[in-house]
């Protein structure tokens, strides 16, 4: 058994025993109550699933196994000359709850290189798409096409013991993560660079090699990719891409089906597609205003015109956060340290000053602050990647780390098929009438 799998087996077996005892002793304890506004309101805040890899606090933001993003930047292994954490290290941390050593991360990098072979039929499928097919359409289809390789599906059909579900899921997760940079880079190069593909450089780490295959050279871009792939990886379990992956996985669909489900959720403009919408909105604003360096007042007027047209301001607001997203702040830190005088980055910073008070003034937006998607596009544009329709694929490659490590945990814990109860509006009205009668009786 490989060292990571062995660690996972030990840790997950211990947690399974702990959960069993907890449920036996305190299974009837209430941890939440559901209000009618939550039933109609997208289940905001309802505590109804377990997710070990990360936890989100409305004010502090995301913590991966208890560590904030700045802490991870200090603690996770880096390349010899790099300042940003290696995403391999975060995967290790999320999977087994320990900060890995440099050697452990090197082992994981090598594993993913060894497992990165993409089946030929996936490339053929991608080549059959029109070049203007949205990159997320291509990405989702490519993931599903690789389901033919699923270890879980094969072993299930052969008759796998329930206690080994996690083992087959681990194999699928590792193989899938290893292949994603190759697939994403293939989509990018065929869609925007005439199909001139770039062979992997197996001397590089997972994120560095991805940057190389995208065709954007330079150490700064590689550094940014490592940071990007780290900070987008997980955002607890309730967000749409994580929850969709979890839901599909709960039916014992394998990791390929589950992750494709998550990516289809990520492709929505209220979720991961917001990163493309932000830069599209900024480009449109600059075109409309006829300048690359708008004044604050010009931005304020443009924001108000967007809202007056009944549209949302992409990159602002959040279902859980009530402060600027630490992932936004981290990208701002990176841009300040590495980028000098980029018009688009400057516009993002001006937006950060002017948009929150406007959204606050609407009186209904619960979080007027920028989220992760408000910043990433401007940095990518700075490095020459202005094809914004591709941005959500980058997010998806990173998100695999969180949702697939969490899927391993779900299978190891033996979590059951997810199946909440739905009701009709008539049922709710009847229920409330009965409650009112009982109160007055
Ligand atoms: N611009 C304009 N209006 C906004 C807004 C924004 N950025 N954010 C929220 N609102 C509006 C909502 O549309 C809603 O209006 P109605 O009552 O008229 O329907 C009202 O304010 C209350 O919404 P909320 O409770 O504050 O926010 P939700 O929890 O319902 O939604 C969203 C959270 C992120 C979907 C929302 O803030 C939004 O649409 N933001 C813009 C899109 C975006 O950036 N999405 C990415 C989020 C982060 C992420 O998942 N990244 O992948």
């Amino acid at each position: 058994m490989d060292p990571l799998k062995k660690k996972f087996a030990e840790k997950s077996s211990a947690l399974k025993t702990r959960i069993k005892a907890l449920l036996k002793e305190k299974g009837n304890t209430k941890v939440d109550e559901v209000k009618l506004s939550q039933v109609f309101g997208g289940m905001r805040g309802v505590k109804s699933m377990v997710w070990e890899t990360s936890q989100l606090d409305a004010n502090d933001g995301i913590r991966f196994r208890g560590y904030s993003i700045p802490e991870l930047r200090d603690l996770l292994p880096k390349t010899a000359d790099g300042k940003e954490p290696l995403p391999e290290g975060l995967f290790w941390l999320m999977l087994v709850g320990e900060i890995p050593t440099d050697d452990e991360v090197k082992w994981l990098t090598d594993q993913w290189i060894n497992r990165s072979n993409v089946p030929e039929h996936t490339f053929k499928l991608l080549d059959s798409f029109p070049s203007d097919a949205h990159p997320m359409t291509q990405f989702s289809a490519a993931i599903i096409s690789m389901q033919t390789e699923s270890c879980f599906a094969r072993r299930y059909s052969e008759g796998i013991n329930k206690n080994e579900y996690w083992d087959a899921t681990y194999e699928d997760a590792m193989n899938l993560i290893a292949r994603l940079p190759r697939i994403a880079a293939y989509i990018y190069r065929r869609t925007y660079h005439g199909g001139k593909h770039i062979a992997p450089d197996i001397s590089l780490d997972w994120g560095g090699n991805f940057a190389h295959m995208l065709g954007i050279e330079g150490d700064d871009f590689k550094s940014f990719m490592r940071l990007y792939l780290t900070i987008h990886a997980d955002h607890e379990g309730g967000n749409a891409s994580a929850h969709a992956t979890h839901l599909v996985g709960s039916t014992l669909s394998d990791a390929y089906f589950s992750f494709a489900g998550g990516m289809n959720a990520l492709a929505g403009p209220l979720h991961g597609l917001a990163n493309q919408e932000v830069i599209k909105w900024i480009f449109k604003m600059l075109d409309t205003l006829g300048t690359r360096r708008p004044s604050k007042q010009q931005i304020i007027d443009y924001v108000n015109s967007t809202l007056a047209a009944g549209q949302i301001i992409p990159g602002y607001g959040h279902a859980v956060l009530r402060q600027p997203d630490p992932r936004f702040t981290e990208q701002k830190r990176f841009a300040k340290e590495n980028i000098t005088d980029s018009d688009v980055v400057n516009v993002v910073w001006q937006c950060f000053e002017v948009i929150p008070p406007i959204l606050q003034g609407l009186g209904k937006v619960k979080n007027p602050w920028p989220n992760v998607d408000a910043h990433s596009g401007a940095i990518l544009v700075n490095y020459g990647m202005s094809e914004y329709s591709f941005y959500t694929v980058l997010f998806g490659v990173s998100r695999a780390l969180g949702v697939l490590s969490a899927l391993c945990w779900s299978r190891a814990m033996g979590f059951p098929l997810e199946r909440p109860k739905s009701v009709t509006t008539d049922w709710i009205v009847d229920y409330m009438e009965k409650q009112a009668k009982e109160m007055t009786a």
Side-chain angles (χ1 to χ4, degrees):
M1 196 181 278
D2 80 45
L4 181 58
K5 198 195 245 188
K6 189 162 175 285
K7 255 185 207 289
F8 180 75
E10 287 159 9
K11 303 245 169 184
S12 57
S13 160
L15 186 67
K16 195 172 180 183
T17 308
R18 201 172 136 212
I19 292 175
K20 214 172 158 189
L22 198 64
L23 284 174
K24 194 171 169 207
E25 199 190 334
K26 306 220 182 242
N28 286 328
T29 310
K30 276 193 187 171
V31 290
D32 213 347
E33 283 178 4
V34 183
K35 294 191 200 111
L36 187 58
S37 58
Q38 291 172 303
V39 174
F40 277 100
M43 299 186 278
R44 291 290 181 285
V46 179
K47 295 182 199 74
S48 54
M49 68 190 290
V50 176
W51 195 263
E52 302 293 344
T53 48
S54 68
Q55 184 156 11
L56 186 59
D57 178 84
N59 294 308
D60 291 347
I62 188 68
R63 279 183 181 267
F64 302 87
R65 294 282 186 181
Y67 296 103
S68 68
I69 291 174
E71 284 166 350
L72 288 183
R73 196 150 44 79
D74 281 348
L75 294 170
L76 288 180
K78 303 169 184 63
T79 53
D81 52 351
K83 288 195 219 136
E84 305 303 335
L86 287 166
E88 288 93 323
L90 179 65
F91 178 75
W92 184 289
L93 173 68
M94 287 190 291
L95 197 68
V96 296
E98 289 174 13
I99 299 277
T101 63
D102 288 355
D103 284 349
E104 285 168 334
V105 158
K106 175 79 182 82
W107 173 86
L108 188 51
T109 300
D110 291 345
Q111 272 290 310
W112 287 352
I113 287 166
N114 293 340
R115 292 169 182 257
S116 65
N117 205 22
V118 174
E120 206 43 48
H121 66 258
T122 296
F123 292 130
K124 280 195 188 137
L125 175 82
L126 286 173
D127 287 337
S128 74
F129 273 95
S131 59
D132 62 354
H134 193 281
M136 279 304 280
T137 312
Q138 300 184 52
F139 191 52
S140 178
I143 294 159
I144 278 294
S145 78
M146 293 191 298
Q147 191 276 337
T148 51
E149 313 292 296
S150 170
C151 176
F152 184 94
R154 180 178 50 76
R155 285 172 64 183
Y156 193 88
S157 74
E158 289 165 1
I160 187 175
N161 185 308
K162 272 182 168 191
N163 294 327
E164 290 170 22
Y165 287 169
W166 70 267
D167 185 305
T169 302
Y170 171 90
E171 292 300 329
D172 278 350
M174 291 282 277
N175 291 337
L176 185 42
I177 291 169
R179 291 168 178 154
L180 289 176
R182 188 86 203 279
I183 286 166
Y186 194 90
I187 293 168
Y188 180 67
R189 301 295 302 178
R190 79 173 290 275
T191 307
Y192 305 108
H193 293 275
K196 291 190 192 112
H197 298 293
I198 298 170
D201 178 346
I202 60 165
S203 70
L204 290 167
D205 53 284
W206 188 70
N209 184 36
F210 184 29
H212 159 76
M213 288 188 290
L214 287 168
I216 298 173
E217 286 302 338
D219 289 343
D220 282 2
F221 184 68
K222 286 192 182 67
S223 282
F224 180 58
M225 266 301 104
R226 292 175 190 122
L227 176 70
Y228 183 106
L229 294 170
T230 300
I231 63 177
H232 286 75
D234 208 27
H235 218 224
E236 74 167 37
N239 72 77
S241 53
H243 189 196
T245 306
H246 177 78
L247 170 65
V248 178
S250 82
T251 70
L252 296 189
S253 270
D254 59 57
Y256 294 85
F257 281 125
S258 307
F259 182 58
M263 290 303 94
N264 296 342
L266 193 73
L270 295 187
H271 190 19
L273 204 80
N275 61 8
Q276 83 163 38
E277 293 302 303
V278 166
I279 218 71
K280 190 170 156 188
W281 180 82
I282 289 179
F283 281 170
K284 196 168 166 206
M285 171 170 70
L286 300 182
D287 281 353
T288 308
L289 299 176
T291 173
R292 305 284 297 170
R293 297 183 174 219
S295 67
K296 277 189 193 156
Q297 190 55 49
Q298 281 178 307
I299 298 178
I300 290 171
D301 293 344
Y302 194 80
V303 169
N304 284 327
S305 71
T306 302
L307 292 170
Q311 293 164 24
I312 55 167
I313 307 298
Y316 281 76
H318 202 273
V320 179
L321 287 171
R322 296 296 176 258
Q323 291 288 333
D325 190 329
R327 301 170 299 173
F328 174 90
T329 313
E330 192 61 25
Q331 294 178 87
K332 188 163 178 243
R333 188 270 312 156
F334 180 93
K336 275 192 185 291
E337 285 175 12
N338 296 285
I339 297 174
T340 39
D341 206 22
S342 150
D343 288 343
V344 188
V345 169
N346 287 334
V347 169
V348 165
W349 294 349
Q350 280 177 302
C351 286
F352 182 33
E353 284 179 45
V354 306
I355 292 176
I358 299 175
L359 291 181
Q360 224 148 14
L362 296 179
K364 63 174 182 178
V365 181
K366 294 192 191 66
N367 178 46
W369 300 107
N371 58 56
V372 64
D373 299 315
H375 210 312
S376 51
I379 301 180
L380 294 167
V381 169
N382 174 71
Y383 289 124
M385 186 187 270
S386 50
E387 302 93 347
Y388 50 71
S389 302
F390 184 71
Y391 292 173
T392 311
V393 175
L394 295 175
F395 194 156
V397 172
S398 169
R399 189 44 59 101
L401 303 178
V403 299
L404 292 176
S405 50
L407 192 68
C408 292
W409 278 96
S410 299
R411 292 291 69 77
M413 294 304 104
F415 287 154
L417 177 77
E418 194 173 272
R419 204 332 185 161
K421 178 84 183 93
S422 69
V423 289
T424 62
T425 304
D426 283 344
W427 182 94
I428 286 172
V429 172
D430 285 350
Y431 175 80
M432 289 192 308
E433 279 172 5
K434 274 184 206 144
Q435 293 279 90
K437 272 189 200 144
E438 274 172 28
M439 297 273 277
T440 51

